[in-house]
Amino acid sequence: MGGLAGQRASMRRVVVASAAGTAFEWYDFFIFGALAPVIAKVFFAGLTETAGFVAALGLFAAGFAFRPLGAILFGSMGDRLGRKGAFLITVSLMGGATFAIGLLPTHAQAGAIAPALLILMRIFQGMALGGEYGGAAIYVAEHSPSDRRGFSTSWIQASAAFGLIAALVVVLATRTSIGEEAFTAWGWRVPFLVSAGLLAISIWMRMKLTESPTFEKMREEGEISRAPLAEAFGRWSNMRLVLLAFFGVMCAQGAVWYCYFFYIQVFLEKSLQVAPATVNIVVMAMTLASAPCYVLFGWLSDRIGRKPVMLGGMLLGLVAFFPAFHALAGFVNPALVEAQRRTPVVVAADPATCSVQFDPVGAAKFSSACDIAKGVLATGGIPYRSADLPAGTATEVRIGEARLRPADGTGLGADALKTLKTEQTAAIRKALADGGYPLKADPARMNLPGIAAILLLFVVAATALYGPMAAMLVELFPARVRYTAMSLPYHVGTGWVGGFLPVTAFAIVAMTGDLYAGLWYPVIFTAISLLTMMFLVPETKGRPLDA
């Protein structure tokens, strides 16, 4: 009996230390997403409001872009030298880069050097997270009994929720305690600097762990791979599993999870004009609700299998994208939806005078009448439709029966163009207000039960897919190359499919004027995984991990 109790206590230590370290890494990573609007003002002050926000989202995505590189680097290290050492290094790298962001100069202080340093720190963060998840999930799974593997590894999945909760709590507490003006001036640094204490705790907890029993057994038997990269990706038997993991699991995970937990923030704040503090509270509530759901669905996958639970999450997420976001808009900002139906906005222009409505590098001036009009509408979250006019015809903004003809700023100097844009913005916004378009979402008109129901649906879809996922991925790959082979598809899916979702979806909205057009991005990737998993991915529940 004492032996069983000791094993359970040891398993708890493994889960707590692994999940706590992973939660800290997610905290570091998520701070940036929560602060994207502030980052845009502080580090991209030279761009327009829309371009600066898209640049901040692009930089958020840049951290994800380097996660596959970290997966290869630390995955190979974990397969050759051990699971524990690899994810001890990753947590240190992540913590150091995050703390450094809190010390960086702003654009006003250092000009272009500031965003360049920020990009470098984001690269370090992305590489660190690329090695973290696989190591933690594998370490826990290789310690866990086979009939509790889904439950045990689901705590690693839940650590993402804990990290996001911590990030939002620190951001919200700092924001409300010092005020928005001080927060934009210097308070944004606090959440990054706080990470130093969390880093020390995480390192201390992980230093107390021993190596995974599966890796120790391979080391004793001389079965450790000498070239895990070549073995994982150079042998078709392993490469086939990598492709199945990416197309059958990770495309949907990146699309569903990052749409419902990250793009939802962009949609609420930029498209529906909800106050940033309210958005933080909404996402925090979603995240709190999600934490036990990861564990529930991980436990359920130990009973009925990984595939049925994950397929259920994919299917629910897929069918919910468009109707749920439409319903959410009506519940959150009914005045905007009513105005859109009653007083549709049309930008009629010579298409040759209209540009793509975002510019992350700040190279475009957006000086034509068409560009100025669409820029005002995109920044204000106002849905609009484009109409083509004959070449040479003046641009016209139609707001119901009202007709505005914005002045063209082509050829003007920087100061004159800025003045013109300010004047045109005021004129268009006045016409919008006269047409019944709200400047902000009215909290008094929000349908709170309806909002809660939609967000709960999002949570169930995302957690049913994500909860059993660690166990399935660990079970899918052979022990010799597990860290390397599992980490790459995971981080290509979350890093490239998921990480680029907010910036791509918002860009599509800005270009088309359709608040919902960006949802085609997650719909396509989720459908790919649903079909691939249904017909090609095997059930893995209960597989031995020492093979």
Side-chain angles (χ1 to χ4, degrees):
M1 190 72 176
L4 180 59
Q7 290 175 5
R8 288 177 176 172
S10 176
M11 190 63 216
R12 279 195 298 270
R13 284 194 297 272
V14 166
V15 171
V16 169
S18 300
T22 305
F24 162 66
E25 294 221 36
W26 282 115
Y27 166 86
D28 284 354
F29 213 75
F30 287 156
I31 289 174
F32 200 95
L35 295 180
V38 177
I39 294 294
K41 297 176 183 177
V42 172
F43 287 93
F44 300 97
L47 305 184
T48 64
E49 183 177 351
T50 301
F53 185 69
V54 174
L57 288 178
L59 191 53
F60 179 66
F64 286 85
F66 280 85
R67 282 169 63 171
L69 179 59
I72 292 173
L73 176 64
F74 294 110
S76 177
M77 184 184 300
D79 280 328
R80 289 185 296 109
L81 304 178
R83 321 309 197 193
K84 176 187 171 182
F87 70 41
L88 194 57
I89 295 173
T90 61
V91 77
S92 302
L93 179 61
M94 173 68 86
T98 303
F99 183 76
I101 291 177
L103 301 176
L104 291 181
T106 65
H107 186 278
Q109 295 168 330
I113 294 176
L117 291 173
L118 183 60
I119 290 170
L120 182 62
M121 294 305 103
R122 286 297 291 170
I123 289 173
F124 287 152
Q125 283 188 318
M127 290 177 62
L129 196 54
E132 165 62 24
Y133 175 83
I138 291 168
Y139 187 82
V140 171
E142 290 181 347
H143 276 86
S144 177
S146 61
D147 62 343
R148 292 175 60 84
R149 202 175 289 144
F151 173 78
S152 298
T153 57
S154 66
W155 289 98
I156 300 299
Q157 314 300 77
S159 68
F162 300 145
L164 181 54
I165 290 168
L168 293 175
V169 166
V170 173
V171 169
L172 185 62
T174 307
R175 194 171 228 146
T176 54
S177 62
I178 66 176
E180 194 63 33
E181 184 176 347
F183 186 81
T184 302
W186 60 268
W188 62 269
R189 298 181 184 274
V190 173
F192 293 103
L193 298 177
V194 165
S195 67
L198 300 175
L199 172 63
I201 295 171
S202 298
I203 292 177
W204 174 76
M205 293 179 71
R206 290 195 170 184
M207 288 290 289
K208 299 171 73 69
L209 297 176
T210 58
E211 186 53 81
S212 131
T214 300
F215 186 83
E216 285 289 7
K217 181 181 178 183
M218 286 195 300
R219 180 152 51 193
E220 291 172 3
E221 297 175 352
E223 290 296 322
I224 294 175
S225 175
R226 300 292 183 185
L229 289 175
E231 193 171 332
F233 308 122
R235 295 183 183 177
W236 173 244
S237 59
N238 291 330
M239 188 61 192
R240 177 179 175 275
L241 297 177
V242 170
L243 294 174
L244 285 179
F246 174 70
F247 288 106
V249 180
M250 297 315 308
C251 283
Q253 199 280 327
V256 172
W257 202 91
Y258 284 88
C259 180
Y260 288 156
F261 282 94
F262 276 96
Y263 181 62
I264 188 70
Q265 300 178 54
V266 177
F267 184 75
L268 289 172
E269 185 172 341
K270 301 300 290 186
S271 295
L272 300 184
Q273 299 300 300
V274 179
T278 303
V279 173
N280 284 346
I281 293 172
V282 167
V283 176
M284 196 183 308
M286 284 181 66
T287 309
L288 281 169
S290 75
C293 292
Y294 294 115
V295 180
L296 170 64
F297 288 117
W299 169 85
L300 184 62
S301 76
D302 283 330
R303 301 298 180 272
I304 67 173
R306 319 295 185 212
K307 278 187 67 171
V309 178
M310 296 174 71
L311 281 171
M314 288 183 198
L315 184 60
L316 179 59
L318 182 62
V319 299
F321 282 124
F322 279 102
F325 270 81
H326 275 275
L328 186 63
F331 292 148
V332 170
N333 196 342
L336 177 64
V337 176
E338 292 163 2
Q340 182 183 6
R341 291 172 180 165
R342 182 181 60 249
T343 315
V345 177
V346 178
V347 178
D350 173 3
T353 66
C354 301
S355 306
V356 173
Q357 269 305 302
F358 77 99
D359 176 37
V361 298
K365 288 187 175 181
F366 295 130
S367 56
S368 72
C370 176
D371 288 346
I372 291 173
K374 288 187 175 182
V376 173
L377 297 171
T379 301
I382 304 299
Y384 64 87
R385 183 174 56 84
S386 297
D388 293 343
L389 293 179
T393 308
T395 296
E396 186 174 78
V397 180
R398 303 166 183 169
I399 304 174
E401 298 300 319
R403 298 290 186 270
L404 286 81
R405 289 198 170 182
D408 192 283
T410 303
L412 294 180
D415 292 339
L417 180 60
K418 183 176 181 180
T419 300
L420 177 63
K421 286 184 176 181
T422 301
E423 294 171 351
Q424 297 301 319
T425 297
I428 293 174
R429 287 182 176 173
K430 181 181 184 305
L432 289 169
D434 292 342
Y437 280 87
L439 294 177
K440 298 290 182 183
D442 182 3
R445 292 199 62 190
M446 291 183 182
N447 183 333
L448 297 182
I451 294 171
I454 295 295
L455 298 183
L456 183 60
L457 183 151
F458 291 169
V459 166
V460 171
T463 56
L465 171 56
Y466 197 44
M469 192 182 71
M472 169 175 266
L473 291 176
V474 172
E475 292 163 342
L476 191 62
F477 294 102
R480 284 170 56 87
V481 295
R482 181 170 291 142
Y483 204 146
T484 305
M486 170 184 162
S487 295
L488 185 64
Y490 177 86
H491 288 292
V492 172
T494 57
W496 293 359
V497 176
F500 284 92
L501 191 154
V503 66
T504 305
F506 181 72
I508 293 171
V509 170
M511 286 187 289
T512 63
D514 182 349
L515 298 186
Y516 310 100
L519 295 174
W520 282 110
Y521 181 103
V523 163
I524 291 170
F525 280 106
T526 304
I528 289 171
S529 282
L530 181 68
L531 295 173
T532 305
M533 175 172 277
M534 188 178 298
F535 296 109
L536 298 176
V537 178
E539 176 60 68
T540 63
K541 181 176 79 75
R543 281 188 178 182
L545 296 187
D546 55 358

